[in-house]
Amino acid sequence: GLARLRRATLRGEPVDDLEFRLRNSSGRLLWLAVDVHPLFEDGRICQFAVVGFDVTERKRNETLKTDFVSLVGHELRTPLTVVSGALEAMAGGLAGRLDPSMLELVEMGQRNCTRLRRLIENLLDVNRIETGVVTYQLQDLSVWQAVEHVARVLSLEVEQAGLALDIRGVSRVEQVVADPMRFDQVLTQLLSNAIKFSAPGKDIVIRSVSTASGSVRVSVTDQGPGIKPEFASQVFEKFTRDPDVLASGVEGFGLGLSIARALVASMNGRIGYQSNDGPGCEFWFELPRVGADARSTPEALGETTT
């Protein structure tokens, strides 16, 4: 906080919502959010306007919410694992041969266990991101190897949806500076969305291309219904879903793209999409290319565009 304030002061830039933890005269710990704005006279800073807000209650509520989500998420994992294991055993014939109607019920239970597991993991991921406890191991990463790995992991899901995955447009030589696990997570979110909204018999195309700003752009293009202009500003927000998608019965929680945006921003990248009036949508994310001058793109870091 103080380092950020010092940098902004030297540059003559305003700072908003800078948080400090203080102890008042009675010994009570308080959280204070401060806005600092420089005032100029004849082109030079003459003084600073400082406004402070007591946000102790807000921080307390945030902590309670974070602790609750973490507790519920972890407490649900154990019984869910037990239920999932029992259903898997039944589907495998451990309890005897099942007739088709019983097997259908077991498979329905397995699908909903998978859905619940994804919800729990997404909630925990949001929690970790918002509390700043997500760790990143940035390293030189082959784009081709990372994309090929995700494509292989999701190949069965792609096949069951009656789709085809085309990764021929992915560079075999480009490398990015990224955390391998987080790269996989971002691409999996985008590819899972493409699978969810694509009609059987269509192709999903993954491409990569170097940009003039020193990044590598990885894109996932589907032939789904696209995104309506009136929903554009909400695409990457938490718990938001297009009303038409909700009405269609397509499963989802409105968390995946929000998580992807936060992960990409934390790896010094940016994310966005292109959607036309007709069918089809292209989601993309950019990460710094190995060997590129990171100073050439400071304005792009963490930016979301459409």
Side-chain angles (χ1 to χ4, degrees):
L2 290 175
R4 177 187 166 199
L5 179 59
R6 188 179 298 111
R7 288 195 300 269
T9 300
L10 293 173
R11 296 171 183 171
E13 299 171 349
V15 176
D16 294 320
D17 205 25
L18 187 63
E19 294 182 349
F20 294 96
R21 195 180 185 192
L22 306 172
R23 192 180 298 274
N24 65 9
S25 57
S26 62
R28 182 180 172 224
L29 285 173
L30 301 174
W31 279 98
L32 192 67
V34 177
D35 293 347
V36 181
H37 291 256
L39 302 178
F40 295 87
E41 185 175 302
D42 297 328
R44 300 180 64 181
I45 298 175
C46 60
Q47 54 186 321
F48 289 89
V50 181
V51 181
F53 307 90
D54 186 343
V55 293
T56 306
E57 189 63 23
R58 186 187 79 185
K59 298 294 288 187
R60 177 178 175 275
N61 291 336
E62 289 175 355
T63 301
L64 288 174
K65 182 204 71 173
T66 298
D67 291 346
F68 174 77
V69 171
S70 181
L71 176 64
V72 170
H74 286 97
E75 287 299 317
L76 284 175
R77 274 177 162 176
T78 299
L80 181 61
T81 300
V82 173
V83 172
S84 181
L87 290 171
E88 186 176 351
M90 292 176 67
L94 190 62
R97 185 178 179 84
L98 302 178
D99 61 57
S101 60
M102 289 296 295
L103 183 59
E104 184 178 351
L105 289 174
V106 170
E107 290 175 345
M108 183 186 302
Q110 288 180 302
R111 288 194 298 271
N112 280 280
C113 279
T114 299
R115 187 180 178 213
L116 184 55
R117 186 180 297 110
R118 285 178 178 172
L119 173 59
I120 292 170
E121 292 302 324
N122 281 341
L123 285 172
L124 291 175
D125 275 338
V126 169
N127 221 27
R128 297 184 192 107
I129 290 168
E130 290 183 344
T131 55
V133 299
V134 178
T135 58
Y136 297 87
Q137 300 294 328
L138 298 181
Q139 57 188 263
D140 294 358
L141 180 67
S142 165
V143 174
W144 167 260
Q145 290 179 2
V147 170
E148 197 273 336
H149 170 72
V150 173
R152 188 170 62 252
V153 170
L154 294 180
S155 60
L156 180 59
E157 191 172 339
V158 172
E159 182 181 344
Q160 289 176 339
L163 303 168
L165 188 58
D166 182 356
I167 62 173
R168 292 173 296 176
V170 178
S171 169
R172 292 176 178 265
V173 297
E174 294 288 9
Q175 291 184 309
V176 292
V177 180
D179 181 306
M181 184 172 69
R182 304 304 174 190
F183 185 104
D184 282 10
Q185 194 172 355
V186 171
L187 184 57
T188 297
Q189 292 284 6
L190 300 188
L191 189 51
S192 295
N193 266 13
I195 295 170
K196 188 186 304 180
F197 292 105
S198 294
K202 301 295 184 179
D203 285 352
I204 298 174
V205 180
I206 304 179
R207 296 188 181 93
S208 69
V209 61
S210 294
T211 71
S213 60
S215 300
V216 175
R217 173 178 289 200
V218 179
S219 63
V220 177
T221 304
D222 61 52
Q223 297 301 315
I227 296 173
K228 295 182 297 186
E230 57 267 31
F231 191 68
S233 63
Q234 304 174 59
V235 170
F236 291 97
E237 299 302 319
K238 290 183 298 183
F239 301 111
T240 56
R241 301 187 70 205
D242 188 325
D244 289 346
V245 173
L246 285 171
S248 69
V250 176
E251 295 182 352
F253 311 105
L255 287 173
L257 291 177
S258 172
I259 293 171
R261 176 177 63 176
L263 294 176
V264 169
S266 295
M267 291 188 290
N268 300 321
R270 62 178 191 155
I271 190 169
Y273 73 92
Q274 297 287 338
S275 183
N276 301 318
D277 293 336
C281 186
E282 175 191 353
F283 275 91
W284 54 264
F285 62 100
E286 294 179 1
L287 293 170
R289 186 173 67 247
V290 171
D293 185 356
R295 293 172 299 177
S296 65
T297 57
E299 70 283 357
L301 303 187
E303 176 188 347
T304 302
T305 63
T306 58

